[in-house]
């Protein structure tokens, strides 16, 4: 590319190629970055590149994975409303055109949630997609809104299966990272916990 850009993630594709996601400065380095995704063929030749338009400052595409039907799911950070909707999940067709784009942890549904940011997205055994990250989520027992790990499971058509803000009952604070899936469908996830001024590594089973 003739523009400044950064690649956040890549995935292999069913035809032996590579898809990637990140951000690009389509005008110049002093302008606003925009999320972009691209597809290379098996010979590392560019097949297509798509840029997501947004008014947000320093927006980026965090993760990209291919679905069973040869299309793509992409997580976008710093993409929505400043106060409520920061992470979006987008579906792209096989040529990089946007099919739909929707907020992850929609504030209109989860009114106690603010500013989710995604970190990882993994594909499950049965073809669903688990998104992890951090979200400000109000305590159920007072008005404090601390930072918590979150996990959200989606089908490839965008249907939300569940959202789990971890630690509502025991005031666990922190951020979620990568996950592994067991054969029984449970997940073992890495996280970071904030406690007594310290940051500690944490393993969570879902």
């Amino acid at each position: 590319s003739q523009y400044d850009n950064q690649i956040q993630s890549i995935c292999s594709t069913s035809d032996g190629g590579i898809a990637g996601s990140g951000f690009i400065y389509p005008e110049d380095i002093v302008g606003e970055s925009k999320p972009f995704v691209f597809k290379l063929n098996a010979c590392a030749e560019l097949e297509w590149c798509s840029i997501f338009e947004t008014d947000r400052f320093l927006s980026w595409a965090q993760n990209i994975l291919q679905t069973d039907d040869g299309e793509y799911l992409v997580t976008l950070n710093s993409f929505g409303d400043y106060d409520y909707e920061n992470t979006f999940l987008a579906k792209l067709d096989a040529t990089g055109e946007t099919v739909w784009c929707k907020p992850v942890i929609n504030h209109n549904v989860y009114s106690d949630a603010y500013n989710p940011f995604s970190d990882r997205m993994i594909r499950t055994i049965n073809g669903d997609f688990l998104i992890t990250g951090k979200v400000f989520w109000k305590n159920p027992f007072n008005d404090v809104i601390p930072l918590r790990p979150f996990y959200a499971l989606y089908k490839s058509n965008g249907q939300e299966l569940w959202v789990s803000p971890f630690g509502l009952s025991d005031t666990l604070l922190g951020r979620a990272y990568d996950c592994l899936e067991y054969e029984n469908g449970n997940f073992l996830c890495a996280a970071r916990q904030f406690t007594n001024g310290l940051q500690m590594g944490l393993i969570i089973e879902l």
Side-chain angles (χ1 to χ4, degrees), residues 56-108:
R56 287 292 301 271
F57 183 66
L58 297 179
S59 186
W60 72 97
Q62 179 73 9
N63 289 283
I64 185 169
L65 290 173
Q66 192 173 38
T67 61
D68 287 336
D69 56 9
E71 298 185 328
Y72 301 90
L73 285 184
V74 179
T75 53
L76 307 170
N77 277 336
S78 191
F79 191 70
D81 185 280
Y82 273 95
D83 296 319
Y84 303 118
E85 299 168 350
N86 278 296
T87 291
F88 275 64
L89 181 65
K91 181 73 174 287
L92 308 182
D93 66 17
T95 64
E97 295 296 321
T98 302
V99 178
W100 47 257
C101 187
K102 60 181 62 180
V104 173
I105 311 184
N106 189 337
H107 182 74
N108 292 330

Side-chain angles (χ1 to χ4, degrees), residues 15-169:
D15 61 359
I18 291 174
S21 64
F23 63 83
I24 189 169
Y25 291 90
E27 301 298 333
D28 54 66
I29 193 67
V30 299
E32 296 181 356
S33 67
K34 297 183 184 298
F36 88 113
V37 294
F38 63 89
K39 168 71 168 57
L40 307 180
N41 63 22
C43 297
E45 298 167 331
L46 181 65
E47 291 189 352
W48 51 260
C49 177
S50 296
I51 296 175
F52 294 86
E53 292 298 328
T54 175
D55 293 330
R56 287 292 301 271
F57 183 66
L58 297 179
S59 186
W60 72 97
Q62 179 73 9
N63 289 283
I64 185 169
L65 290 173
Q66 192 173 38
T67 61
D68 287 336
D69 56 9
E71 298 185 328
Y72 301 90
L73 285 184
V74 179
T75 53
L76 307 170
N77 277 336
S78 191
F79 191 70
D81 185 280
Y82 273 95
D83 296 319
Y84 303 118
E85 299 168 350
N86 278 296
T87 291
F88 275 64
L89 181 65
K91 181 73 174 287
L92 308 182
D93 66 17
T95 64
E97 295 296 321
T98 302
V99 178
W100 47 257
C101 187
K102 60 181 62 180
V104 173
I105 311 184
N106 189 337
H107 182 74
N108 292 330
V109 178
Y110 303 99
S111 59
D112 288 339
Y114 303 85
N115 294 344
F117 273 87
S118 66
D119 196 282
R120 300 288 197 275
M121 179 169 62
I122 68 166
R123 178 174 166 155
T124 68
I125 295 171
N126 61 1
D128 297 328
F129 293 83
L130 180 68
I131 301 171
T132 74
K134 62 181 180 179
V135 62
F136 288 92
W137 201 294
K138 181 176 174 294
N139 286 332
F141 45 84
N142 60 30
D143 291 329
V144 177
I145 309 175
L147 186 66
R148 304 187 187 280
F150 84 79
Y151 306 88
L153 188 66
Y154 287 84
K155 299 188 74 65
S156 62
N157 64 4
Q159 177 188 353
E160 178 191 294
L161 298 177
W162 49 258
V163 168
S164 176
F166 204 84
L168 289 184
S169 61

